[in-house]
Amino acid sequence: MTRHFYYCCVFLILFFAACQSENTEPDVNIDILDELKVELWEVLGASQRMLEFRVSTLENLDCENYSISFSLNRSENSAIISINNILPPHECAPGIAPASNQIEMGHFPEGEYSIQLNLKNNEIINVGQLNIRPRFYELVMESAHGIFLPWKLLKTVPEDLVWGYLTVEEEEEENDILEAFDNTIAPWTEEVGLSQGEYGYFKIEGGTAVSIHNQREAITENIFLLKQTGTQGELKTALDNLRNEFPDQVSIKAFLSNGSSL
């Protein structure tokens, strides 16, 4: 790149001190009120599920690999998180993306936990409560200075689900490929109805999946969400057969509630 930005420090009370380029451009102050996004996220696993807080800036930066520093102090009944500084990359990955990081909270048994989502080495304190239930995680904050919460209630992903999406290269082949997909996967799946809400990996409205989340994207076309009735091996074989039938025409992304992908 022709220029690199360096964040001298991050003032999360009211302002970021924005980066200063190598050609000594003046500092630019950026108002960061409600410009840090914090997402509740369920980390899926075969034996145990973990809670994660995904933190990102709402504004995009000039490299894809800016990160955010934080500190975490967790006890049996509480957790204190301080979201601190934006960290510039050692080497810029070209592209536009928010600064981000994942705060691994670990496993929480069912119950209520006091929580703080603080800013700038605990200079700004946001107190709240984290409620853990078998079917959801809920974050109730008394204040959220500088923080945007896209959802305060995250539903847990039910067991034995398969979801994902198809990317079809040629529009005129789409109907045939989607029909072949339905026929191929039908013996190992069945329709499922889930309650409305945000599940992190997908969103349900009116009993139907309206979007699938993959990294920073929300996919809304050619998506599927089904109950798994066959084994993981049977599902993988069925999907691989379809990929082999249409090797250059379709890409299939499929995910399971045990945290694996097919």
Side-chain angles (χ1 to χ4, degrees):
M1 292 183 60
T2 58
R3 67 176 191 173
H4 296 279
F5 286 90
Y6 175 74
Y7 275 87
C8 299
C9 60
V10 179
F11 296 97
L12 290 176
I13 299 175
L14 291 174
F15 300 98
F16 277 120
C19 33
Q20 183 177 25
S21 67
E22 292 177 353
N23 59 4
T24 65
E25 292 178 0
D27 288 345
V28 179
N29 289 328
I30 303 174
D31 185 358
I32 61 92
L33 184 63
D34 293 340
E35 289 205 7
L36 285 175
K37 180 169 67 173
V38 179
E39 297 173 309
L40 283 172
W41 198 266
E42 182 182 35
V43 181
L44 303 175
S47 59
Q48 192 175 63
R49 298 185 179 189
M50 306 293 181
L51 181 63
E52 187 175 87
F53 282 20
R54 295 190 168 187
V55 182
S56 61
T57 57
L58 292 181
E59 271 194 40
N60 288 327
L61 302 180
D62 64 324
C63 301
E64 290 188 347
N65 53 338
Y66 278 93
S67 63
I68 300 175
S69 69
F70 66 90
S71 60
L72 170 64
N73 183 1
R74 181 182 165 183
S75 64
E76 184 177 352
N77 299 311
S78 65
I80 299 175
I81 300 167
S82 182
I83 304 167
N84 299 322
N85 301 312
I86 292 178
L87 302 177
H90 294 295
E91 184 174 345
C92 177
I96 301 297
S100 62
N101 212 337
Q102 293 79 45
I103 303 174
E104 299 175 357
M105 302 294 293
H107 176 70
F108 282 82
E110 181 178 357
E112 293 80 37
Y113 301 84
S114 63
I115 193 163
Q116 292 183 23
L117 290 178
N118 302 336
L119 306 180
K120 197 177 182 292
N121 298 304
N122 297 307
E123 290 185 16
I124 295 296
I125 296 176
N126 293 306
V127 176
Q129 180 170 294
L130 177 65
N131 300 319
I132 307 295
R133 298 291 184 270
R135 295 187 179 181
F136 64 83
Y137 306 87
E138 182 183 30
L139 186 59
V140 181
M141 299 300 298
E142 297 178 15
S143 65
H145 301 302
I147 293 172
F148 166 62
L149 302 172
W151 51 78
K152 299 177 183 179
L153 191 145
L154 177 72
K155 296 196 172 183
T156 56
V157 175
E159 298 288 353
D160 299 323
L161 289 186
V162 55
W163 66 89
Y165 59 94
L166 290 77
T167 304
V168 181
E169 297 298 328
E170 300 294 338
E171 186 176 350
E172 60 269 18
E173 297 178 329
E174 185 171 279
N175 289 338
D176 291 340
I177 291 175
L178 293 179
E179 182 179 358
F181 172 81
D182 291 340
N183 293 334
T184 299
I185 204 171
W188 321 114
T189 60
E190 62 183 33
E191 296 294 326
V192 62
L194 298 180
S195 61
Q196 182 165 307
E198 180 63 63
Y199 292 76
Y201 300 91
F202 49 85
K203 185 176 183 178
I204 302 294
E205 290 183 0
T208 303
V210 295
S211 62
I212 301 291
H213 300 291
N214 181 30
Q215 296 180 342
R216 299 188 183 99
E217 290 186 283
I219 313 297
T220 59
E221 295 183 358
N222 299 333
I223 64 176
F224 60 90
L225 189 149
L226 300 161
K227 181 176 177 58
Q228 175 186 343
T229 58
T231 67
Q232 183 170 332
E234 289 169 333
L235 277 172
K236 186 177 187 310
T237 298
L239 293 175
D240 286 346
N241 288 340
L242 190 66
R243 293 178 177 117
N244 292 332
E245 184 178 351
F246 302 98
D248 301 317
Q249 296 98 323
V250 66
S251 171
I252 306 171
K253 300 291 185 182
F255 309 94
L256 300 176
S257 51
N258 64 7
S260 60
S261 59
L262 301 175

